[in-house]
Amino acid sequence: MIQTIRGFRDILPEDTVLWQAIEKTASNLFEDFGFQEIRIPIMEKTELFARSIGETTDIVEKEMYTFPDRKGDKLTLRPEATASVVRSYIQHNMGSSDPVQKLYTIGPMFRRERPQKGRYRQFYQINAEVFGISSPYIDAQLILILNELFKRLGLSELDAHINSLGCRECRPDFQKELLIFLNGKKEHLCENCLRRMDKNPLRTLDCKVPSCREALVDAPSTLGHLCSGCSDHFETVKSVLKEQSVDFTVDKTLVRGLDYYSRTTFEILTTALGAQSAVAGGGRYDALIKELDGPETYGIGFAIGLDRLADIVAQMINDIKMKKAENTDRPEGTEDIPKNASDFFRLVSVKSPDLFIIPLGEKAARLAYMWSSELNIARIRTETDYSGRSLKSLMKRADKLNAAYVLIAGDQEIEDNALVLRDMKTKEQYFVTAENPVEQIETLLNRV
Ligand code: AMP
């Protein structure tokens, strides 16, 4: 049997309900904030990622799926979306109509990391990117949007870590000081850090090797070296977040794994899935557009890990169900749906058929087919079954699917023009005729 490649997986129908609901909630939210969707290719020229993410990052050094195509061009499956969105912004000269562009995109990314729970080689991200705004208000607003998304999904605790990485003005001084510090700690640093430190000392702050982490606890931080522009910018981001009651922690170790960031960077951390991991991350990348041969324009964005977000939301829904099961006296439909999340819960609720048609006989099977097609076209969820099994076993199937009504149609009933329709909740039975299914069923479902 052929199976999926390691680190790749199927998202099965029982999960896609949740994924679609999250995606819809996110896209509605983005649209509320004036974002438009962009769809970008899954494959790009390798150079795009090498130049933007940075040659000395984990992603570019070890994780990209890169291969020559049949003509020898070097191609890469996208490991992230920002570089492609920036390429698109430049290629289509989007800034010429309005330098401010707010874009979002949802789709798969590819990184050859070691697979484990919450980490895949094909994973999905929800991305937002804003071009043309230098104001710190947009930095704060992106974090506010993440906060609001969490609320609309019914999640409460958003742990936002924020930092400022400085800019082209103040970073060189900081890097010099960091390099002096690193030179004094050489014997404790891993091979990777030793190799990268001269070219890109900031990367060492991102190293996960325990001995490096320990050696770097007292490392100088960017926050101590911000120029007045960067410092004012960061102060405004913090004060606005405070005023809007968005919780955050300043984390001077947060440098993120990509080179293009400047000024504000942020990550949303969670312990909901066991060990602490990031469910979203982002930041400002004011120099990137120019570096990719575009105009001098500001940029900022974030990426949410959809696989992890879906796990967290699934866990929350489970917790709510468990609570409800413990409290059995409560009437149905009164689970503790968190404030602001009712739209999401409506999207995620299991959609069972309005009607299940049980045909008993040859003529009945044809009627079941005609009726169900007509009803489906009229947006009435109808299922049927052509297997020819007994009434009893098909009633069982209707029960399992949780159908609201069952229509029992035998050849004789069709001849007599009197089919039995049963309300599965009240057990009441009605007779309906063999014509005009849409009208009759709609009336019953109180749709007209
Ligand atoms: P990054 O682009 O590395 O900042 O990642 C943004 C978010 O994508 C992270 O916070 C994770 O939630 C998610 N993510 C990154 N890599 C993976 C992966 N290999 N598998 C699943 N999710 C990932």
Side-chain angles (χ1 to χ4, degrees):
M1 185 197 19
I2 301 170
Q3 300 211 345
T4 44
I5 318 164
R6 191 166 130 83
F8 289 64
R9 63 179 182 148
D10 302 310
I11 312 297
L12 298 174
E14 67 237 39
D15 295 322
T16 53
V17 177
L18 182 67
W19 282 55
Q20 286 175 353
I22 296 175
E23 288 167 4
K24 186 96 196 85
T25 306
S27 53
N28 285 345
L29 173 65
F30 287 137
E31 278 158 29
D32 291 342
F33 277 83
F35 285 70
Q36 289 181 303
E37 186 180 3
I38 181 169
R39 299 193 185 192
I40 42 176
I42 278 174
M43 208 155 36
E44 299 268 4
K45 290 183 180 156
T46 303
E47 188 194 351
L48 173 67
F49 302 113
R51 272 175 60 190
S52 57
I53 298 170
E55 298 276 4
T56 48
T57 56
D58 280 355
I59 296 179
V60 173
E61 277 186 354
K62 341 183 253 210
E63 294 170 0
M64 294 201 311
Y65 282 93
T66 296
F67 49 88
D69 81 348
R70 287 173 187 272
K71 280 201 171 149
D73 293 333
K74 235 174 140 191
L75 305 178
T76 294
L77 290 178
R78 62 182 189 195
E80 58 110 46
T82 302
S84 303
V85 178
V86 170
R87 183 215 26 81
S88 182
Y89 177 87
I90 299 168
Q91 184 174 335
H92 301 286
N93 206 4
M94 283 186 213
S96 68
S97 56
D98 183 352
V100 175
Q101 296 285 332
K102 300 185 196 175
L103 305 169
Y104 75 90
T105 191
I106 302 176
M109 308 294 154
F110 304 85
R111 292 182 198 171
R112 204 175 184 292
E113 294 188 80
R114 207 166 59 79
Q116 60 188 64
K117 184 162 169 45
R119 182 176 301 149
Y120 308 95
R121 290 179 169 177
Q122 174 174 335
F123 60 99
Y124 294 77
Q125 285 187 340
I126 302 174
N127 273 81
E129 315 289 345
V130 177
F131 297 102
I133 305 180
S134 64
S135 162
Y137 293 127
I138 197 71
D139 307 37
Q141 192 170 60
L142 286 184
I143 299 169
L144 177 80
I145 289 174
L146 283 168
N147 195 49
E148 179 61 20
L149 177 64
F150 273 53
K151 277 194 198 159
R152 290 193 191 182
L153 295 175
L155 300 169
S156 49
E157 288 142 59
L158 177 147
D159 188 10
H161 283 222
I162 66 171
N163 191 18
S164 175
L165 296 183
C167 64
R168 270 178 296 185
E169 303 281 306
C170 50
R171 191 143 358 130
D173 271 351
F174 165 70
Q175 287 192 334
K176 244 185 249 157
E177 195 179 317
L178 180 59
L179 201 55
I180 295 169
F181 176 87
L182 293 173
N183 273 315
K185 297 278 179 183
K186 264 184 167 168
E187 69 272 29
H188 304 290
L189 300 181
C190 72
E191 254 173 57
N192 245 347
C193 285
L194 287 173
R195 185 170 48 81
R196 289 171 174 175
M197 67 183 237
D198 289 316
K199 251 196 186 160
N200 194 347
L202 216 68
R203 285 273 66 80
T204 56
L205 298 175
D206 204 32
C207 184
K208 303 284 178 289
V209 175
S211 60
C212 290
R213 296 202 82 124
E214 214 171 287
L216 291 166
V217 248
D218 301 322
S221 78
T222 47
L223 289 183
H225 296 79
L226 298 182
C227 60
S228 64
C230 286
S231 173
D232 290 350
H233 188 98
F234 196 50
E235 287 309 313
T236 307
V237 174
K238 287 190 291 182
S239 70
V240 168
L241 287 175
K242 257 190 210 143
E243 193 173 332
Q244 293 187 307
S245 306
V246 178
D247 288 338
F248 65 88
T249 312
V250 174
D251 180 351
K252 65 183 171 72
T253 66
L254 184 72
V255 293
R256 318 258 307 118
L258 305 89
D259 277 357
Y260 50 62
Y261 288 115
S262 55
R263 291 201 163 168
T264 318
T265 54
F266 49 90
E267 244 170 32
I268 309 300
L269 301 179
T270 175
T271 47
L273 305 172
Q276 192 181 56
S277 62
V279 68
R284 197 165 258 289
Y285 47 81
D286 289 338
L288 180 61
I289 302 133
K290 183 98 195 286
E291 264 164 37
L292 289 176
D293 310 320
E296 180 106 42
T297 314
Y298 305 97
I300 180 165
F302 64 66
I304 304 168
L306 183 50
D307 307 69
R308 292 182 196 174
L309 185 60
D311 280 350
I312 298 169
V313 174
Q315 194 168 306
M316 171 212 48
I317 292 175
N318 242 345
D319 289 348
I320 291 175
K321 278 192 191 146
M322 297 253 282
K323 241 197 227 156
K324 196 187 162 200
E326 279 165 19
N327 193 348
T328 46
D329 334 322
R330 288 174 66 173
E332 209 167 312
T334 58
E335 47 274 83
D336 285 312
I337 291 181
K339 226 174 113 203
N340 304 322
S342 52
D343 285 352
F344 171 69
F345 273 77
R346 210 168 303 124
L347 286 171
V348 94
S349 63
V350 180
K351 304 199 177 39
S352 36
D354 297 316
L355 179 67
F356 187 86
I357 304 177
I358 298 182
L360 302 167
E362 289 287 317
K363 251 197 222 157
R366 194 178 176 90
L367 175 128
Y369 168 72
M370 300 302 275
W371 270 48
S372 60
S373 315
E374 244 181 89
L375 290 164
N376 289 152
I377 289 168
R379 301 178 190 188
I380 296 171
R381 273 191 297 271
T382 307
E383 279 294 332
T384 184
D385 190 308
Y386 309 113
S387 67
R389 282 186 293 160
S390 69
L391 175 62
K392 197 171 154 202
S393 74
L394 293 185
M395 279 303 276
K396 258 195 202 153
R397 189 166 169 229
D399 239 355
K400 208 165 158 192
L401 293 175
N402 202 21
Y405 288 87
V406 166
L407 181 79
I408 301 162
D411 287 352
Q412 190 56 49
E413 283 91 342
I414 297 175
E415 203 116 296
D416 301 343
N417 202 16
L419 316 177
V420 180
L421 189 103
R422 181 201 286 239
D423 182 330
M424 296 295 275
K425 221 184 217 159
T426 64
K427 307 288 176 215
E428 270 174 283
Q429 306 224 95
Y430 310 85
F431 282 104
V432 295
T433 64
E435 295 99 33
N436 302 331
V438 174
E439 249 169 61
Q440 297 191 74
I441 302 300
E442 260 182 355
T443 314
L444 265 168
L445 295 173
N446 288 331
R447 297 237 174 135
V448 283

